[in-house]
Amino acid sequence: MNENLSNRDGASTSLWMATTDAPVFAPLSADAHARVVVVGAGIAGLTTAWRLVRAGVDVVVVEEHDLHGGQTARTTGHLCDALDDRYYDLEYLHGEHGARLAAHSHGVAVDTIEHICQQERIECGFRRCDGFLVRGAGKTGDVDELDREFEAARRAGLQVERVASPPGAMRRFGPALRFPKQARFHALEYTAGLARAIAQLGGRIHTQSRVVGIDGGSNAGATLENGARVQAEQVVVATNVPFNDRLAIHTKQAAYRTYVVALRLDPGSVPDALLWDTLDPYHYVRIAHARNGTWLLVGGEDRKTGQDDAPLIHYEVLESWAREHFPMALDVGYRWSGQVLEPIDGLGFLGHNPGFADNVYVATGDSGNGLTHGTIAGLIVADLIVDGESPWRALYAPNRRTLRAADNYLKENLNFVPYYGEWVSAGDIEGLDLLQAGEGAVLRRGLHKIAAFRDDGGELHLHTATCPHLGCVVHFNEAERSWDCPCHGSRFDARDGSRLNGPATHGLAAVDVPAPSPETARAPPSVRM
Ligand SMILES: Cc1cc2nc3c(=O)[nH]c(=O)nc-3n(C[C@H](O)[C@H](O)[C@H](O)COP(=O)(O)OP(=O)(O)OC[C@H]3O[C@@H](n4cnc5c(N)ncnc54)[C@H](O)[C@@H]3O)c2cc1C
Ligand code: FES
């Protein structure tokens, strides 16, 4: 494990985190000035910064954690224009022209990553390969989903063919759609290379530099937690989940946890291809070559953040699925989870930040294709800043209203309504003595709910269970040892309460809980900020 990579999103470690040497950058401790300040150093922020410095623009990137503290560290690294949302859905939502633009933009994103690898000599194992969409087990129906997708993908301009099966050890999946010229890479070797290139080209990157305020207009810039300020002409919020928007954009996307297991493989035993199925939630598969061997990555089991009581089970389910379909797979080396933001109409929100002046930009709504969405964000935002226009501006406009997505909007926003009432219900446990090492539970004390976690050493960590975003009660995530909010996906470290994912702008406050006696059971706990 590279000591430079802190597990800032939770307790698990991805294959990429374990096999990357991340460049180290100094925190920003004094005021600075740049033409553009980019907040967040995931693939979206770094691609934007790279495009800008290549165009001669003076850029400062500020990142809350070390490099690789976000979701890019937790990806599986499929690079596709064959999107995980069906093209027939995108066509319904955005029209035939919109679906064609979406296909084109994701293809350009994969080409851009390939081009950057060549231009900056980034050794990240980028390689073109076939992608196969297969039918999920037990899925039948009058109209075959593969046929519908075949027709829609062709109308969207993709090269696609029907095949009897994928090759080699993937044959057992049967009839498939083959999408040529997809790709895979080592995600963190790529972003580490991007960061080095930005620095060599004169861009300034600062890690351990948390931004707490964004301003647009004539006094644009970003204010850090330590008081330092980056004054800039343009601000790009590439924090995956925007922290500067309280609600509007968060009603148009929903946070899901997704799970991955990496099983060791003998090289060559499984074809170097991408594969995903038509189930919901679906499985996604690829081979990864890292410096410690060859791995079969199997992902899926997506669940809405904070609404899943037994997340560790998903690793077991994925492992048994992997062993059933790939009996040659060896031991499990890594298990990790991460967060994806599902936009209600299938496409990211990339461009001008609604509710802010025109010189503030946002990249969010990454979906399961967030690596290409993040790259498209870099292309759109840099074009808007340098040229004032992008061919994809309207398609990805964050303020768009997709009328045909109204059903999805209602489904996602009604889904968490019951959770708003949880603060009046009983707690998960009656007393702290019931909590074992490694366990977390919500406890009621009088009018308050307490998020209680006992670490492996037996020490108790107590925080308010009320999410600072809009007040839902957080739920314990045993896979990542975090407190996850079921309403809009904010997440918090179970030990120190610090914020892992927005939209909450700060962490859970620590509390002291008096011993549960008849008197104290009704008394509210004192809250330490
Ligand atoms: C398990 C999993 C598998 C996936 N597989 C694929 C795949 O195969 N293909 C694909 O295309 N996509 C995939 N995705 C999605 C994709 O990995 C992500 O969408 C993408 O990496 C997100 O990039 P980003 O730059 O938007 O966000 P991040 O990588 O999260 O970067 C945002 C950065 O902003 C920083 N930040 C946050 N708040 C602040 C602040 N206040 N101040 C300063 N910095 C801040 C964070 O620390 C973080 O480093 C997967 C995701 C997961 C979780
Ligand atoms: S994330 Fe919105 S209430 Fe918690």
Side-chain angles (χ1 to χ4, degrees):
M1 169 82 185
N2 180 345
E3 294 303 320
N4 292 331
L5 298 185
S6 52
N7 292 8
R8 282 311 306 169
D9 192 61
S12 66
T13 298
S14 71
L15 169 66
W16 324 116
M17 293 158 82
T19 57
T20 309
D21 295 317
V24 176
F25 299 96
L28 184 67
S29 51
D31 290 354
H33 185 275
R35 178 160 162 211
V36 179
V37 56
V38 176
V39 186
I43 194 167
L46 290 175
T47 308
T48 308
W50 180 84
R51 284 267 298 180
L52 289 168
V53 290
R54 273 277 165 205
V57 175
D58 177 30
V59 177
V60 166
V61 179
V62 272
E63 161 59 45
E64 175 174 12
H65 303 303
D66 294 328
L67 205 62
H68 301 155
Q71 302 311 314
T72 306
R74 295 176 170 273
T75 189
T76 46
H78 299 54
L79 300 172
C80 301
D81 56 12
L83 302 182
D84 65 352
D85 284 306
R86 296 286 96 82
Y87 271 98
Y88 56 75
D89 282 333
L90 293 175
E91 200 176 59
Y92 170 76
L93 291 163
H94 300 280
E96 199 171 318
H97 179 64
R100 284 185 79 84
L101 273 185
H104 179 243
S105 60
H106 283 268
V108 170
V110 183
D111 293 346
T112 300
I113 292 170
E114 182 173 33
H115 166 75
I116 291 175
C117 291
Q118 288 164 355
Q119 185 171 7
E120 304 298 352
R121 299 179 193 281
I122 300 174
E123 303 280 337
C124 63
F126 177 96
R127 198 181 141 169
R128 294 281 181 172
C129 57
D130 287 342
F132 294 95
L133 173 63
V134 298
R135 201 182 284 138
K139 267 221 161 183
T140 51
D142 296 339
V143 183
D144 191 306
E145 202 168 334
L146 293 187
D147 288 341
R148 278 183 81 192
E149 185 60 359
F150 175 77
E151 298 299 342
R154 280 178 56 132
R155 284 194 295 276
L158 290 187
Q159 285 181 51
V160 50
E161 66 169 331
R162 291 190 181 94
V163 292
S165 72
M170 292 177 171
R171 188 165 292 124
R172 69 184 64 232
F173 288 96
L177 298 186
R178 171 180 167 269
F179 296 89
K181 283 197 76 192
Q182 310 302 298
R184 48 84 168 157
F185 68 170
H186 186 306
L188 292 192
E189 294 291 6
Y190 175 70
T191 46
L194 258 186
R196 289 189 189 100
I198 291 164
Q200 276 162 15
L201 291 163
R204 289 165 281 165
I205 300 178
H206 296 282
T207 53
Q208 297 296 334
S209 302
R210 178 166 181 245
V211 173
V212 292
I214 294 293
D215 302 296
S218 56
N219 185 33
T223 305
L224 274 62
E225 195 171 33
N226 63 5
R229 167 132 179 120
V230 186
Q231 200 72 28
E233 292 167 32
Q234 274 101 3
V235 183
V236 182
V237 182
T239 53
N240 194 244
V241 187
F243 65 95
N244 54 325
D245 179 295
R246 192 140 177 86
L247 193 58
I249 227 158
H250 305 294
T251 60
K252 299 203 289 185
Q253 59 186 8
Y256 283 78
R257 302 298 298 168
T258 180
Y259 298 80
V260 184
V261 291
L263 299 99
R264 201 179 297 278
L265 275 184
D266 286 330
S269 59
V270 174
D272 196 352
L274 313 179
L275 182 142
W276 61 105
D277 66 24
T278 55
L279 291 177
D280 183 16
Y282 70 109
H283 298 94
Y284 45 99
V285 179
R286 65 163 278 198
I287 308 306
H289 301 282
R291 62 189 180 203
N292 60 358
T294 302
W295 300 89
L296 175 73
L297 306 188
V298 175
E301 286 291 301
D302 301 15
R303 294 290 187 282
K304 209 158 180 188
T305 301
Q307 301 187 12
D308 184 5
D309 290 335
L312 283 172
I313 284 177
H314 304 313
Y315 293 134
E316 289 166 31
V317 173
L318 285 177
E319 183 183 344
S320 68
W321 187 91
R323 294 202 181 285
E324 181 190 339
H325 292 87
F326 299 93
M328 68 294 291
L330 306 171
D331 56 304
V332 173
Y334 301 93
R335 311 191 309 178
W336 71 91
S337 70
Q339 190 137 306
V340 290
L341 298 165
E342 290 296 347
I344 55 167
D345 64 5
L347 296 179
F349 302 107
L350 321 170
H352 288 293
N353 197 143
F356 279 77
D358 276 356
N359 53 352
V360 179
Y361 304 85
V362 67
T364 188
D366 52 9
S367 177
N369 298 102
L371 298 170
T372 39
H373 266 131
T375 304
I376 295 168
L379 300 177
I380 292 178
V381 172
D383 280 355
L384 291 176
I385 289 174
V386 175
D387 302 327
E389 193 44 280
S390 156
W392 305 318
R393 183 186 53 76
L395 184 69
Y396 291 103
N399 67 352
R400 70 180 181 267
R401 290 213 178 116
T402 310
L403 293 178
R404 289 188 158 182
D407 286 356
N408 291 343
Y409 178 89
L410 282 177
K411 189 182 103 195
E412 293 295 3
N413 286 288
L414 290 177
N415 158 282
F416 58 76
V417 168
Y419 292 93
Y420 273 121
E422 279 193 336
W423 60 273
V424 290
S425 63
D428 305 337
I429 54 168
E430 287 298 314
L432 292 172
D433 48 339
L434 298 172
L435 213 54
Q436 304 294 313
E439 287 182 355
V442 172
L443 183 82
R444 171 172 277 290
R445 278 290 176 270
L447 295 175
H448 291 260
K449 284 208 160 177
I450 311 297
F453 170 63
R454 194 182 293 282
D455 66 24
D456 290 336
E459 190 182 341
L460 266 176
H461 304 270
L462 305 175
H463 295 90
T464 171
T466 306
C467 174
H469 179 228
L470 292 176
C472 289
V473 174
V474 295
H475 288 215
F476 186 61
N477 174 343
E478 62 178 336
E480 299 295 349
R481 295 191 169 191
S482 59
W483 293 105
D484 296 0
C485 180
C487 290
H488 313 98
S490 291
R491 298 181 54 248
F492 309 90
D493 187 289
R495 287 174 66 97
D496 62 15
S498 62
R499 187 193 70 119
L500 300 176
N501 290 113
T505 52
H506 55 280
L508 301 176
V511 296
D512 293 323
V513 177
S517 65
E519 292 76 37
T520 56
R522 283 189 298 278
S526 58
V527 176
R528 291 200 311 265
M529 299 301 285

